Amino acid sequence: MVPGAAHPALLALLALLGAVLPGPGGAKTSVQPLNAIILQGGSVKVNCSTSCDQPTKLGIETDLTKKEVGHGKNWKSFELSDVQKDSIPMCYSFCDGSQLAAQMNITVYSFPELVELDPLPSWQPVGKHLNLSCVVSSGGPRDDLTVVLLQGEEELARKPAGKEEPAKVTFPVLARRDNHGANFSCRTELDLRSQGLGLFQNSSAPRMLQTFVLPTADPHLDAPRVLEVGTRWLVNCTLDGLFPASEAEVYLALGDHRPNLTVTYSDDSVLAQAWVMGNVEDEGTHNLKCEVNLGDQSRRSLEDVTVYSFPAPSLTLSEPEVSEGTTVNVECKAQAGAVVTLDGAPAGPSGPRAQLQLNVSAEYNGHSFFCSARLDVAGQVLHKNQTRELRVLYGPRLNERDCLGNWTWQEGSQQTLRCEPWGNPLPELKCNRKKDRASLPIGDLRPVKREMEGTYQCRATSPRGEVTREVVINVIYHQDNLAIIIPVATVFILATVSTAAYIYNYQRKIQKYELQKAQKAQEEAAMKLNTPATPP
Ligand SMILES: *[C@@H]1O[C@H](CO)[C@@H](O)[C@H](O)[C@H]1NC(C)=O
Ligand SMILES: *[C@@H]1O[C@H](CO)[C@@H](O)[C@H](O)[C@H]1NC(C)=O
Ligand SMILES: *[C@@H]1O[C@H](CO)[C@@H](O)[C@H](O)[C@H]1NC(C)=O
Ligand SMILES: *[C@@H]1O[C@H](CO)[C@@H](O)[C@H](O)[C@H]1NC(C)=O
Ligand SMILES: *[C@@H]1O[C@H](CO)[C@@H](O)[C@H](O)[C@H]1NC(C)=O
């Protein structure tokens, strides 16, 4: 609008003239109102008047759309419409050939068309500054326009909008833990209260800020360095000092496998656990990776895990059961790369195979051959062991050590009679007294009785033959005093009593005889008396 641009200068000149050159007789042009503030695009009514009695011309000089809405002898009123920007219309009048002028000020106010908070970083590390920018386009007067930064409903800071179009007002903010999840927004305030209008606010849509803390340390990965095929291992991956821990994501992989994770969150840490399997097809060295992602950052730990297979060595005996005196071959074999050690084998070049040959004696019965294989896996020495037991058939045996040949015991004492044959298979033992075939009590003897005394023949029998052995049992017993005294005393007493009785009897017989003899003599004498004596 070239003419529009020229007019203000012209008007200003006229105003200057009007002010400098008052009309004749002190005539004057005036405008009502002197200042107007209107909403952009609105209209205003302006009254121009003059004190001149005979004005030849009265009008308003403006590039705004104008319309005369009333007039009188020395006044005119206009409606100025579609006011888009500040303007200085001027009323003028001609009086007695001279021009008189008066100007007014129209100030336009408008609300911002756009109030916006620039996008926030999706994640902001705690402790770092970030700039929140409010963008305001149009709106004014700018001197009355302020931009306010809000967190939720709380005002954080305010700054004047400035003259730039669009205006960009930046607020530095230090990210804190309690900013996490907070909604920020911008608000404009157009304060026209001093002009008799109100305080007009416009707000932006809120944007949410996410803040986080991720320590510089890497996650702690607890994993095996070697993993045997067919086994599994519970791998732990933890990272402490996180905020917000529950937002952390954990990723764990062994080679191309992603095992199922169990993730446990605590206040400020995350723990992920997973079983890793030693699969045959995975033999070899793989990367175990644990990655913790939080915000837009991640921390990771890597470890090498070697999946290996290492079966126990095979340990073979040429025969697991042999007769004594036979030669037995023992062989131990392990996979290539391993080194075996066979107990008892002669020293030789070390390798995955070792051998041993021996002529077995009875002592080898139950002997365990031991073979240990050693394998280096990723710098770790691993062992696998194997044992095999040999059974040797022998016997039976029954010697002085197993069965003492001469036992001498006190009668009534408590003893243990030990007599144990040996052999493989285990022989059967039978002991009988020579004189009467009575069997020998083996084991606890309580008490020892003299009837046990005697010489026994012990016979150990097994499918591998038989052996015999004599066992003599002596029982020492004291002659029982009473047992001797009583019969002796009885005999003695009986002898004494019967002797006495005999003597007494004998004497009585003698006496009787003497008496009879005397009586007989008397009788004879009497007879002699009774019968005449024969003459001599
Ligand atoms: C932020 O705003 C979103 C939606 O606009 C709402 O779901 C969320 O609750 C708000 N957060 C806070 C802390 O007010
Ligand atoms: C700004 O606020 C005013 C009132 O305060 C309202 O009339 C106007 O429509 C708003 N502008 C926008 C773009 O929301
Ligand atoms: C094994 O040893 C026994 C005695 O020690 C001997 O009699 C036998 O002949 C040996 N057998 C062999 C095969 O060497
Ligand atoms: C196997 O034997 C070796 C010694 O030879 C020993 O160090 C290792 O502990 C044994 N391993 C097992 C599993 O018994
Ligand atoms: C048995 O032992 C007793 C006493 O210990 C001894 O007098 C006797 O001679 C021994 N008999 C035999 C056959 O060794």
PDB file of all heavy atoms in Angstrom, residues 181-183 206 208, ligand 1:
ATOM      1  N   GLY A 181       7.593 -37.521  34.268  1.00  0.00           N
ATOM      2  CA  GLY A 181       6.144 -37.671  34.099  1.00  0.00           C
ATOM      3  C   GLY A 181       5.386 -36.366  34.250  1.00  0.00           C
ATOM      4  O   GLY A 181       4.163 -36.358  34.169  1.00  0.00           O
ATOM      5  N   ALA A 182       6.111 -35.253  34.469  1.00  0.00           N
ATOM      6  CA  ALA A 182       5.410 -33.978  34.668  1.00  0.00           C
ATOM      7  C   ALA A 182       4.997 -33.397  33.311  1.00  0.00           C
ATOM      8  O   ALA A 182       5.661 -33.604  32.303  1.00  0.00           O
ATOM      9  CB  ALA A 182       6.323 -32.993  35.389  1.00  0.00           C
ATOM     10  N   ASN A 183       3.894 -32.657  33.312  1.00  0.00           N
ATOM     11  CA  ASN A 183       3.409 -32.009  32.091  1.00  0.00           C
ATOM     12  C   ASN A 183       3.824 -30.550  32.112  1.00  0.00           C
ATOM     13  O   ASN A 183       3.532 -29.825  33.062  1.00  0.00           O
ATOM     14  CB  ASN A 183       1.878 -32.104  32.032  1.00  0.00           C
ATOM     15  CG  ASN A 183       1.431 -33.520  31.763  1.00  0.00           C
ATOM     16  OD1 ASN A 183       2.080 -34.241  31.017  1.00  0.00           O
ATOM     17  ND2 ASN A 183       0.318 -33.927  32.371  1.00  0.00           N
ATOM     18  N   PRO A 206      -0.160 -29.387  26.757  1.00  0.00           N
ATOM     19  CA  PRO A 206       0.945 -29.820  27.637  1.00  0.00           C
ATOM     20  C   PRO A 206       1.819 -30.865  26.939  1.00  0.00           C
ATOM     21  O   PRO A 206       1.361 -31.572  26.050  1.00  0.00           O
ATOM     22  CB  PRO A 206       0.219 -30.428  28.839  1.00  0.00           C
ATOM     23  CG  PRO A 206      -1.088 -30.894  28.298  1.00  0.00           C
ATOM     24  CD  PRO A 206      -1.438 -29.985  27.152  1.00  0.00           C
ATOM     25  N   MET A 208       4.695 -33.934  28.036  1.00  0.00           N
ATOM     26  CA  MET A 208       5.195 -34.663  29.199  1.00  0.00           C
ATOM     27  C   MET A 208       6.706 -34.856  29.073  1.00  0.00           C
ATOM     28  O   MET A 208       7.219 -35.176  28.000  1.00  0.00           O
ATOM     29  CB  MET A 208       4.498 -36.007  29.310  1.00  0.00           C
ATOM     30  CG  MET A 208       4.667 -36.612  30.677  1.00  0.00           C
ATOM     31  SD  MET A 208       3.489 -37.951  30.955  1.00  0.00           S
ATOM     32  CE  MET A 208       4.275 -39.229  30.048  1.00  0.00           C
TER      33      MET A 208
HETATM   34  C1  LIG B   1       0.145 -35.336  31.918  1.00  0.00           C
HETATM   35  O1  LIG B   1      -0.775 -35.358  30.890  1.00  0.00           O
HETATM   36  C2  LIG B   1      -1.255 -36.597  30.499  1.00  0.00           C
HETATM   37  C3  LIG B   1      -2.217 -36.438  29.343  1.00  0.00           C
HETATM   38  O2  LIG B   1      -2.140 -35.214  28.818  1.00  0.00           O
HETATM   39  C4  LIG B   1      -1.951 -37.236  31.667  1.00  0.00           C
HETATM   40  O3  LIG B   1      -2.371 -38.542  31.323  1.00  0.00           O
HETATM   41  C5  LIG B   1      -0.985 -37.324  32.835  1.00  0.00           C
HETATM   42  O4  LIG B   1      -1.639 -37.840  33.954  1.00  0.00           O
HETATM   43  C6  LIG B   1      -0.440 -35.957  33.153  1.00  0.00           C
HETATM   44  N1  LIG B   1       0.572 -36.105  34.190  1.00  0.00           N
HETATM   45  C7  LIG B   1       0.546 -35.429  35.330  1.00  0.00           C
HETATM   46  C8  LIG B   1       1.653 -35.691  36.284  1.00  0.00           C
HETATM   47  O5  LIG B   1      -0.321 -34.661  35.551  1.00  0.00           O
END
